[in-house]
């Protein structure tokens, strides 16, 4: 029984992974063509007003921009398939800067901030959401809704500046700048990341909290919960044991979307707090037309979305095997 | 307020010099010794050593490298200025001074220049700086396949050779009396020679600071070079890239950094109220322009150009768009602080009637033109265009403002569309500025202006070593550009920066922002 139940799950996961790879391939074509069609090129972006046709041509020749796009695409994707993302255009003779070496520290920083935010935001959202469902329409429910809706409705940079004003400028508790590097000790890193993490928590908690609340309230109206209630179970037990396991599917999807956002969408927060994350790297690379870096970042972002969505699907299926057999 | 108090406050505000203050105090019967003490107390003590300087600049990208051939902006410029030194430098008065070079001797009508190097200067690794290093450092930017931003300004050099250990001989295609100004460019630090090229990768140079750690697009850390040939006050220095102006301002107000550049003009008043912070404004060579292509109708008619020059209220633009942080210009790209600068006559002021008169002289009753603008050209370019439209309407000129995307502005708009917005960082000499942008064959002749008399004078003035004759030639050229050229110069924009009042400095250079991009070397903690 167990083996037969597991098999379709594994099969589904494999199917999804395969589909994910195809999606990534399509995405890579889109990224490459989009980046190629951007006006301007690296040489002109670097030299700006001082670009002359001669220096531009020298640059293009060095980074291989004089080759036809199709050839460049296949060279690039061929390298990527072997785990080689190539070199940044800021490479110079005798000074190698691989895309991986540029992205790795930035990605680590981003994952650190995302992880720190998720550690706070996910449990917080679940607890707040469950309590809100439990005490529906109480003053607590209203208050939580009001606060989270306010924070999600304000632009990120506004939330960030408000926090900065009160917690870094007026009351100098936290750092206004989250500039960290590889040598920053762990606890200093945590305290430097406090304000950006707080901003992100405020921005994503509402979404997850409200989905938890809605999913549970939805279930609370179903007959089997009524049955449990009639048996005289305590409300917390009903929610924890009976409602929540069936509510995981929508909640997991929302959490996955928000986690993906923490990796790919926090450019504004990174800019405001001067946090050296991957978002800023990509913005930099786009403005300087450093294509290999742009392409690698975009691929990482696409992979993040695909993997997290896959994870959410798996959680939904595992917690609710009925989804394996769509009617 | 007693008269002594008055002079104290004048000194504190920097309105009188220390020497003048002591003189005034002596006239009031204060002993010289006491006056000197007072002056020191007010103006901050003499420079002293120590302190870790943290700066935040609005430039810098992950694609930056230590290769001076591609230094794109003030971040790499300031970094390069701190770790490296060029043959010459421009001082706070705008004059040229030897840096690594001790003397610069021209001969044969300024076509051959001999630079003698300062003795006993070493690179950070202890190696002597020799003439061979200088030759290799210049060759790094020259020749076939060079990607250097200064390739074109070095084109006139036909030969460089070392003459012994400490003399370098430059041979130029034509005479150039201003050649030492070129060698001060921030792209031209001297680097140690290494197999037919130079070693720029390690960041070993001969400057005031030794590079410790460089994380492109994020920050750079440096410590003082104990063997530097001039006095340097700061112990170590960190420069961070903070592109967002609000984040930069916050970094300064929370004390995380001591200096920021490019302040937000709109909130400058609020920043000024902070008593721990000082604002520094310097008028430099940089200017905002609206170049017209003089070979494209209707701009090929000089009367149309003149009409447009009269149809613009520059005072209004300076006041409303740049909030007064600049100096109104008179369609002369030479900043008033540069040697040989003149104020061409008549001064272009807002005069719709004169504009109409010139329009009529061009045989037109009304005029409809497109003006392309994007904030990529300079912050506020679109606002300028819209305001200009209002001004020009009164002269019967209909300006159609075309809002262009920032992306690819320099590729697709500048020098391609008939009339666009642009900026120039300016150059320290008339010759350099004219050769870069107004000579007939200049790569960046962004007005396509080809004036035979101007080009004739340009060559003649370059090799003229009689300063009186040169001055008259440059005056005539500025007048020509003013009367006939296709550029509208809006204003010379100030460099507006702010710093903690713990920091102190002498007179500030105006050739670049960040005290001529030499701030870490020149400033100190009071």
């Amino acid at each position: 029984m167990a083996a037969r139940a597991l098999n379709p799950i594994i099969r589904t996961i494999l199917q999804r992974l395969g589909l994910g790879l195809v999606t990534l391939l399509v995405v890579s074509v889109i990224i490459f063509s989009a980046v190629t069609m951007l006006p301007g090129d690296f040489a002109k972006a670097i030299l700006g007003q001082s670009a002359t046709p001669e220096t531009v041509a020298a640059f293009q020749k060095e980074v291989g921009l004089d080759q036809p796009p199709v050839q460049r695409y296949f060279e690039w994707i061929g390298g990527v398939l072997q785990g080689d993302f190539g070199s940044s255009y800021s490479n110079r003779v005798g000074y190698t800067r691989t895309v991986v070496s540029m992205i790795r520290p930035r990605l680590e920083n981003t994952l650190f901030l995302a992880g720190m935010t998720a550690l706070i935001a996910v449990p917080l959202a679940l607890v707040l959401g469950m309590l809100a469902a439990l005490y529906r329409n109480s003053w607590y429910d209203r208050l939580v809704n009001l606060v989270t809706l306010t924070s999600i409705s304000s632009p990120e940079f506004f939330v960030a500046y408000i926090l900065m004003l009160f917690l870094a400028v007026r009351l100098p508790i936290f750092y206004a700048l989250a500039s960290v590097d590889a040598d920053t000790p762990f606890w200093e890193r945590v305290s430097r990341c406090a304000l950006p993490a707080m901003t992100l928590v405020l921005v994503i908690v509402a979404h997850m909290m409200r989905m938890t609340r809605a999913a549970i309230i939805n279930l609370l109206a179903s007959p089997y919960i009524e049955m449990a209630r009639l048996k005289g179970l305590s409300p917390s037990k009903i929610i924890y044991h009976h409602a929540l396991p069936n509510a995981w599917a929508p909640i997991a999807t929302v959490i996955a979307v928000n986690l993906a956002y923490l990796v790919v969408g926090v450019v504004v927060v990174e800019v405001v707090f001067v946090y050296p994350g991957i978002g800023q790297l990509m913005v930099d690379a786009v403005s300087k037309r450093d294509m290999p870096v742009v392409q690698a970042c975009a691929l990482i972002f696409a992979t993040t979305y695909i993997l997290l969505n896959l994870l959410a699907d798996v959680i939904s299926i595992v917690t609710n095997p009925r989804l394996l057999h769509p009617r | 307020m007693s008269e002594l108090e008055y002079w104290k406050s004048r000194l504190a505000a920097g309105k009188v010099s220390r020497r003048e203050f002591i003189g005034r105090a002596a006239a009031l019967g204060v002993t010289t010794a006491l006056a000197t003490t007072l002056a020191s107390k007010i103006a901050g003590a003499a420079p002293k050593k120590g302190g870790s300087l943290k700066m935040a600049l609005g430039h810098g990208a992950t694609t930056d490298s230590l290769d001076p051939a591609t230094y794109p902006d003030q971040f790499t410029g300031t970094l390069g200025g701190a770790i490296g030194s060029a043959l010459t430098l421009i001082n706070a008065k705008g004059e040229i001074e030897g840096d690594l070079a001790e003397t610069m001797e021209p001969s044969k009508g300024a076509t051959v220049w001999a630079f003698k190097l300062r003795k006993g200067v070493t690179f950070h690794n202890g190696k002597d700086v020799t003439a061979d290093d200088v030759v290799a450092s210049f060759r790094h930017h020259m020749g076939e396949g060079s990607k250097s931003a200064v390739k074109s300004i070095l084109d006139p050099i036909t030969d460089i050779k070392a003459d012994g250990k400490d003399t370098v001989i430059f041979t130029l295609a034509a005479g150039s009396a201003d050649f030492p100004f070129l060698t001060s460019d921030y792209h031209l630090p001297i680097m140690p020679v290494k197999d037919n090229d130079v070693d720029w990768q390690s960041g070993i140079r001969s400057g005031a600071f030794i590079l410790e750690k460089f994380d492109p697009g994020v920050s750079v850390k440096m410590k003082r070079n104990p063997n530097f040939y001039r006095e340097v006050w700061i112990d170590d220095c960190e420069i961070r890239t903070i592109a967002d102006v609000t984040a930069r301002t916050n970094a300064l107000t929370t004390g995380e950094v001591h200096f920021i550049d490019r302040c937000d003009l709109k909130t400058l008043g609020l920043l000024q109220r902070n008593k721990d912070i000082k604002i520094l404004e310097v008028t430099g060579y940089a200017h905002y322009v609206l170049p017209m292509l003089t070979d494209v109708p209707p701009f090929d008619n000089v009367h149309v150009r003149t009409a447009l020059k009269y149809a613009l209220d520059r005072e209004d633009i300076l006041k409303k768009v740049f909030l007064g942080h600049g100096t109104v210009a008179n369609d002369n790209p030479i900043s008033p602080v540069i040697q040989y600068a003149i104020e061409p006559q008549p001064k272009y002021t807002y005069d719709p009637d004169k504009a109409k008169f010139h329009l009529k002289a061009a045989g037109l009753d009304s005029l409809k033109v497109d003006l392309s603008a994007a904030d990529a050209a300079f912050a506020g370019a679109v606002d300028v265009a819209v305001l200009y439209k209002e001004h020009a309407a009164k002269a019967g000129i209909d300006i159609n403002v075309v809002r262009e995307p920032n992306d690819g502005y320099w590729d697709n708009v500048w020098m391609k569309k008939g009339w666009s917005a642009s900026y120039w960082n300016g150059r320290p000499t008339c010759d350099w500025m004219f050769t870069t942008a107004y000579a007939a064959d200049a790569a960046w002749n962004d007005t396509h202006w080809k004036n035979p008399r101007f080009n004739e004078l340009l060559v003649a003035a370059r090799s003229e070593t009689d300063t009186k004759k040169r001055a008259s030639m440059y005056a005539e050229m500025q007048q020509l550009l003013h009367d006939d050229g296709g550029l509208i110069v809006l204003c010379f924009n100030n460099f507006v920066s702010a710093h903690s009042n713990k920091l102190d400095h002498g007179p500030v250079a105006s050739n670049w922002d960040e005290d001529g991009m030499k701030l870490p070397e020149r400033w100190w903690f009071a």
Side-chain angles (χ1 to χ4, degrees):
Chain A
M1 175 72 193
R4 260 169 52 207
L6 265 181
N7 257 342
I9 291 177
I10 290 171
R11 205 177 59 223
T12 315
I13 293 175
L14 288 178
Q15 260 174 6
R16 292 292 171 90
L17 269 178
L19 209 61
L21 280 178
V22 175
T23 317
L24 268 183
L25 212 60
V26 175
V27 168
S28 78
V29 176
I30 297 174
I31 294 168
F32 188 87
S33 357
V35 167
T36 310
M37 279 187 285
L38 279 176
D41 70 18
F42 181 70
K44 285 180 190 161
I46 288 286
L47 295 168
Q49 250 189 356
S50 3
T52 57
E54 211 181 342
T55 49
V56 168
F59 251 114
Q60 287 178 335
K61 189 156 185 270
E62 187 179 287
V63 297
L65 275 173
D66 50 347
Q67 309 288 326
V70 177
Q71 188 185 335
R72 278 190 285 131
Y73 172 77
F74 281 106
E75 273 167 18
W76 170 61
I77 202 72
V80 169
L81 289 176
Q82 294 162 33
D84 173 17
F85 283 88
S87 307
S88 157
Y89 283 174
S90 58
N91 243 7
R92 301 277 191 287
V93 179
Y95 174 76
T96 319
R97 293 189 74 197
T98 59
V99 172
V100 174
S101 73
M102 284 171 81
I103 287 184
R104 182 182 288 155
R106 299 299 192 98
L107 187 60
E108 279 168 8
N109 286 343
T110 293
L111 291 179
F112 181 85
L113 182 59
M116 190 169 154
T117 309
L119 273 182
I120 304 168
V122 174
L124 187 68
L126 291 180
V127 170
L128 288 179
M130 281 193 280
L131 289 177
L134 198 55
Y135 302 108
R136 185 153 42 129
N137 297 333
S138 67
W139 64 266
Y140 162 79
D141 184 25
R142 283 160 213 264
L143 182 75
V144 169
N145 270 311
L146 182 74
V147 171
T148 52
L149 280 180
T150 309
S151 69
I152 204 177
S153 315
S154 318
E156 283 160 60
F157 70 88
F158 183 71
V159 176
Y161 284 139
I162 292 288
L163 286 179
M164 207 190 266
L165 175 65
F166 287 107
L167 297 178
V169 179
R170 293 267 171 86
L171 289 172
I173 306 172
F174 295 111
Y175 295 98
L177 296 190
S179 42
V180 297
D181 59 31
D183 306 332
T184 313
F186 180 77
W187 288 111
E188 191 192 329
R189 193 177 263 258
V190 169
S191 78
R192 283 211 174 258
C193 288
L195 284 187
M198 240 183 259
T199 310
L200 290 172
V201 166
L202 284 175
V203 170
I204 66 170
V205 121
H207 201 187
M208 296 189 287
M209 187 288 274
R210 288 176 67 78
M211 186 51 92
T212 311
R213 178 179 177 274
I216 290 177
I217 285 176
N218 202 15
L219 283 170
L220 286 182
S222 48
Y224 78 95
I225 297 286
E226 203 168 337
M227 183 67 210
R229 216 178 268 144
L230 290 174
K231 279 198 305 193
L233 291 181
S234 70
S236 59
K237 200 159 190 182
I238 293 175
I239 289 192
Y240 189 67
H241 279 288
H242 295 268
L244 193 57
N246 281 309
W248 274 122
I251 297 174
T253 312
V254 171
I255 291 178
V257 168
N258 279 293
L259 292 188
Y261 163 80
L262 285 181
V263 176
V264 311
V266 295
V267 178
V268 174
V269 172
E270 282 175 10
V271 167
V272 169
F273 290 104
V274 198
Y275 189 72
I278 196 166
Q280 234 186 338
L281 177 70
M282 178 147 170
V283 171
D284 248 21
V286 169
S287 68
K288 295 285 178 184
R289 300 286 183 269
D290 193 351
M291 316 300 195
V293 177
V294 178
Q295 287 162 195
C297 287
L299 267 192
I300 288 174
F301 291 168
T303 315
T304 309
Y305 260 106
I306 290 169
L307 282 183
L308 283 170
N309 268 319
L310 177 73
L311 199 66
D313 284 356
V314 171
I315 289 175
S316 311
I317 292 167
V318 171
T319 56
N320 190 353
R322 266 180 307 176
L323 294 175
L324 270 182
H325 310 285
R327 270 172 292 178
Chain B
M1 196 186 326
S2 79
E3 204 167 333
L4 184 61
E5 288 300 318
Y6 169 77
W7 286 109
K8 273 184 178 171
S9 72
R10 296 282 287 173
L11 178 65
K15 302 273 197 231
V16 296
S17 72
R18 190 183 156 88
R19 181 190 292 265
E20 198 179 349
F21 171 78
I22 294 172
R24 297 287 175 177
L28 292 170
V30 179
T31 64
T32 315
L34 181 58
T36 313
T37 325
L38 278 177
S40 301
K41 251 189 204 152
I42 295 162
K48 62 169 192 277
K49 289 214 171 183
S52 300
L53 172 67
K54 290 198 170 81
M55 303 165 63
L57 307 184
H59 282 111
T62 39
T63 44
D64 290 345
S65 83
L66 289 171
D67 185 355
T70 55
Y71 282 171
D73 51 40
Q74 266 89 310
F75 185 91
T76 35
T78 311
L79 155 66
I83 62 171
S85 37
L87 286 178
T88 51
L89 63 84
I90 293 173
N91 63 21
K93 289 184 204 136
E95 301 158 344
I96 200 78
E97 239 177 54
D99 194 353
L100 273 177
E102 205 154 44
T103 56
M104 296 84 76
E105 291 297 333
S107 56
K108 295 184 191 157
T111 52
V112 178
W113 279 87
F115 283 63
K116 215 170 191 79
L117 298 184
R118 197 185 279 268
K119 286 201 174 54
V121 181
T122 55
F123 288 110
H124 296 154
N125 59 3
K127 188 182 118 37
D128 284 334
V129 177
T130 65
D132 289 331
D133 299 313
V134 177
V135 172
S137 296
F138 274 82
R139 291 216 188 279
H140 179 64
H141 303 272
M142 298 163 64
E144 275 304 298
S146 163
K147 304 180 296 281
S148 175
V150 286
K151 182 183 188 307
S152 61
I153 68 162
L154 297 182
D155 273 344
I157 301 179
T158 52
D159 185 44
I160 325 173
K161 62 173 192 283
D163 179 17
K165 207 168 168 275
D166 55 5
T167 307
V168 185
I169 314 276
F170 292 90
T171 311
L172 312 179
S176 170
D178 285 335
F179 182 67
F181 276 94
L182 294 184
T183 59
S184 77
D185 191 283
Y186 70 102
H187 295 93
L188 292 171
I190 302 309
M191 300 170 276
V193 63
K194 192 177 112 189
D195 8 281
N196 292 328
D197 198 355
V198 283
D199 167 28
W200 56 262
Q201 294 90 342
S202 63
I204 289 176
R205 311 266 158 97
S206 57
F209 287 86
I210 300 173
L211 183 71
E212 285 189 301
K213 191 170 168 223
F214 179 37
D215 190 355
V218 182
S219 72
V220 60
K221 289 186 177 128
M222 305 170 284
K223 63 170 196 288
R224 184 170 59 215
N225 173 8
N227 302 320
F228 192 58
Y229 46 87
R230 268 194 302 271
E231 198 86 77
V232 180
W233 317 106
I234 305 291
D235 281 340
D236 44 78
C237 170
E238 178 178 358
I239 312 176
R240 286 192 197 147
T241 292
I242 302 186
D244 182 56
V245 68
T246 316
R248 210 155 61 233
T249 315
N250 275 329
L252 181 68
T253 47
T254 54
E256 294 223 20
V257 298
H258 304 107
F259 175 93
I260 60 168
D261 68 348
R262 302 179 151 212
C263 292
D264 188 352
L265 299 182
K266 293 191 186 86
T267 58
L268 200 65
L270 293 171
L271 196 59
Q272 239 151 3
R273 290 205 300 230
N274 187 330
K275 60 187 186 319
D276 299 328
I277 287 169
K278 280 185 188 159
I279 309 284
L280 178 69
E281 284 205 40
V282 180
T283 304
Y285 315 150
H287 49 281
Y288 297 143
V289 289
L290 303 174
M292 307 173 237
L293 297 183
T294 53
D295 52 357
V296 172
F299 308 112
D300 52 353
N301 186 320
V302 65
H303 284 293
V304 169
R305 304 203 286 266
T306 314
L308 287 170
K309 288 171 187 173
Y310 276 118
L312 168 67
D313 188 345
R314 288 154 229 252
E315 298 281 352
D316 195 41
I317 299 264
L318 180 67
K319 200 173 86 202
K320 288 189 178 139
V321 183
F322 305 114
L323 305 169
H325 299 283
T327 310
V328 163
N330 184 22
D331 295 350
N332 174 10
I334 304 300
S335 158
V337 298
I338 290 173
Q339 198 184 9
Y340 306 126
I342 62 155
E343 178 86 77
Q345 295 300 328
K347 204 168 158 97
Y348 289 130
T349 46
Y350 184 46
D351 193 336
D353 291 332
K354 274 193 188 146
K356 275 185 194 151
F357 167 81
H358 282 283
L359 218 50
K360 201 159 274 166
L364 297 165
D365 294 329
S366 65
L367 179 66
K368 192 170 161 46
V369 284
D370 287 347
L371 172 57
S372 297
D375 280 358
F378 52 86
V382 179
D383 300 343
V384 166
V386 173
L387 216 53
Y388 194 170
K389 179 189 170 77
E390 296 299 317
H391 299 154
K394 292 204 180 96
I397 299 171
D398 179 12
I399 294 176
N400 175 34
V401 177
V402 183
R403 200 187 169 144
E404 304 280 356
N406 281 339
D407 242 27
Y409 184 81
W410 301 110
D411 283 351
N412 307 327
V413 180
W414 182 61
M415 292 185 63
K416 303 240 167 39
K417 299 281 169 78
W419 195 17
S420 61
S422 177
Y423 77 100
W424 281 101
N425 276 323
R427 299 291 185 268
T429 63
C430 293
D431 179 56
W432 195 345
M433 189 71 234
F434 290 155
T435 309
T436 310
Y438 304 102
D441 53 355
W444 305 303
N445 182 351
D446 63 3
T447 51
H448 293 186
W449 187 59
K450 295 185 173 69
N451 184 302
R453 173 71 184 150
F454 182 90
N455 289 300
E456 193 181 297
L457 279 169
L458 183 60
V459 177
R462 199 174 285 155
S463 52
E464 180 58 67
T465 39
D466 178 346
T467 39
K468 247 205 184 117
K469 276 191 195 151
R470 279 191 97 196
S472 77
M473 287 173 174
Y474 283 133
E476 190 184 340
M477 289 163 81
Q478 290 170 63
Q479 189 68 46
L480 274 172
L481 204 48
H482 170 270
D483 296 344
D484 185 57
L487 76 158
I488 288 178
V489 188
L490 297 165
C491 66
F492 291 95
N493 52 299
N494 288 353
F495 302 128
V496 183
S497 49
H499 62 89
S500 146
N501 61 8
K502 289 181 196 140
L503 268 184
D504 212 343
H505 56 84
V508 175
S510 53
N511 53 332
W512 291 102
D513 207 348
E514 277 82 68
D515 198 355
M517 301 211 272
K518 285 278 185 188
L519 188 152
E521 181 186 319
R522 292 175 181 167
W523 289 30
W524 62 87
F525 280 99

